Amino acid sequence: MQDEIDLLDLGIKVVGFFRKIFWQLVIAAALGAGLGFGFFSLVPKQYESKMLIQSEKLTYSLGKSLLDDLNQLALEKSWDSLGAKLGITATNAETIIAIHLKSPIDRADQLKESEKSSFEIIVRVYDLTKLILIQNGLEKYLGNNHFTLQFETMKKEYYLAVISKLDEQIAKLKIQQEQFDAGKLYVGGKDAAYYFDPSVFNSRILDCELKKLKYQDSVKLVKKVKVITGFMSFQKPVFPKLRQSVLVGAAVGVIVVLAIALLRRLNKALKSDSPAA
């Protein structure tokens, strides 16, 4: 019974405490919300966007290392060096806050390096209008390291060698076709059996021509880094956010008033408990 009376008395005191400072809390919340709105209005907006790239030879570890170098330059505010690496001006480089690499595949950490051929590049910037410049710069920067350059050269040389062999094969088939038409590939003259069906030449030549076209397209498409989806200009900033800024401001205002009121209450209690001088 005594415990119930004590709890009831405590509850009455707590309600009374909050009733006394209610309007102070309201005013503090309003002022805090206003400060939060001011923070949102004055602080430079930060935007984030993603680009999906693909590369047969750019590994996740290598790509992350290359982007870490860019982030370090941004952290040090070495805008001239950062701009030079991306092929953009120092002024445009100043809009970059951070650049990160991640694999879009779930559980990418369990994949082998050779299986990670697609990556997401996440960039945070102050100015959305610079995204296309940054995208082009990143594509060149990631593709112009020694490892990927060597891969591109080897791949093109391979395709060109295959095309050369196909040209030789086509030339031989055309010579044989001319010999066949002239009756030189018959056994025992035109009235006897022959070695080849006439349709074989056309079908084999067509097959070689189609393969040649395929490899010619492959030469054109060989790129160290391919952009699958470029950066999108999303208009909502990721920082600061209006709702978050206002709520945090109001919460801070309430906490400050509560802290001051509790300190005053505690100070008053200590003075009342102290023996009279």
Side-chain angles (χ1 to χ4, degrees):
M1 185 67 179
Q2 184 64 37
D3 290 342
E4 291 178 2
I5 294 173
D6 290 342
L7 287 173
L8 181 61
D9 183 57
L10 178 62
I12 293 171
K13 288 180 178 179
V14 169
V15 171
F17 170 75
F18 278 102
R19 285 183 65 184
K20 286 181 180 180
I21 65 170
F22 174 75
W23 288 111
Q24 296 178 37
L25 292 174
V26 172
I27 294 170
L31 290 173
L35 290 173
F37 180 78
F39 174 81
F40 171 80
S41 301
L42 296 175
V43 171
K45 306 299 184 290
Q46 297 182 16
Y47 303 90
E48 209 168 71
S49 188
K50 296 178 181 179
M51 174 173 69
L52 182 64
I53 64 170
Q54 188 178 58
S55 177
E56 295 181 53
K57 281 299 177 181
L58 180 69
T59 64
Y60 179 81
S61 299
L62 177 58
K64 186 176 183 304
S65 177
L66 290 170
L67 293 185
D68 284 344
D69 291 341
L70 297 183
N71 283 321
Q72 186 62 34
L73 290 173
L75 187 65
E76 295 175 356
K77 300 187 184 302
S78 302
W79 307 123
D80 289 330
S81 299
L82 180 58
K85 284 187 175 292
L86 294 177
I88 60 179
T89 64
T91 303
N92 290 332
E94 287 182 28
T95 65
I96 299 172
I97 301 168
I99 305 171
H100 301 291
L101 184 74
K102 65 173 288 189
S103 173
I105 304 172
D106 292 337
R107 299 180 181 177
D109 55 330
Q110 300 177 13
L111 298 177
K112 298 178 181 178
E113 286 287 354
S114 59
E115 296 173 323
K116 299 177 184 179
S117 59
S118 298
F119 309 103
E120 277 182 352
I121 297 179
I122 304 171
V123 65
R124 183 173 286 204
V125 296
Y126 289 117
D127 189 350
L128 288 172
T129 62
K130 310 302 181 187
L131 283 176
I132 187 63
L133 295 175
I134 297 170
Q135 175 181 312
N136 294 335
L138 284 170
E139 183 181 1
K140 292 176 183 176
Y141 171 71
L142 293 173
N144 284 341
N145 66 84
H146 176 72
F147 185 67
T148 50
L149 279 173
Q150 187 179 35
F151 163 75
E152 182 184 34
T153 302
M154 292 174 62
K155 200 79 172 179
K156 282 185 176 179
E157 288 177 350
Y158 167 74
Y159 288 146
L160 291 173
V162 173
I163 291 171
S164 178
K165 290 292 184 182
L166 287 170
D167 282 334
E168 292 178 8
Q169 184 67 23
I170 291 169
K172 288 180 180 179
L173 285 170
K174 287 182 175 179
I175 291 172
Q176 290 177 345
Q177 187 178 36
E178 290 174 0
Q179 291 176 338
F180 178 82
D181 292 339
K184 296 180 180 179
L185 293 182
Y186 286 95
V187 176
K190 291 186 177 181
D191 296 330
Y194 47 78
Y195 284 113
F196 298 100
D197 182 340
S199 63
V200 169
F201 294 107
N202 291 331
S203 62
R204 290 186 65 185
I205 290 172
L206 179 61
D207 183 52
C208 289
E209 291 284 4
L210 290 174
K211 287 181 179 179
K212 179 181 174 182
L213 288 173
K214 177 183 176 181
Y215 282 107
Q216 285 175 336
D217 289 339
S218 296
V219 171
K220 296 175 184 177
L221 293 173
V222 169
K223 293 188 71 175
K224 302 144 289 198
V225 174
K226 301 174 187 176
V227 175
I228 307 301
T229 305
F231 289 130
M232 298 289 291
S233 297
F234 300 112
Q235 300 302 314
K236 290 187 177 180
V238 293
F239 178 86
K241 294 182 178 180
L242 177 58
R243 184 178 179 182
Q244 189 179 61
S245 300
V246 171
L247 289 177
V248 169
V252 169
V254 169
I255 291 170
V256 169
V257 169
L258 277 176
I260 293 172
L262 287 171
L263 286 173
R264 286 177 177 174
R265 186 86 176 191
L266 180 61
N267 186 48
K268 185 178 180 180
L270 290 174
K271 284 183 178 181
S272 63
D273 290 341
S274 62

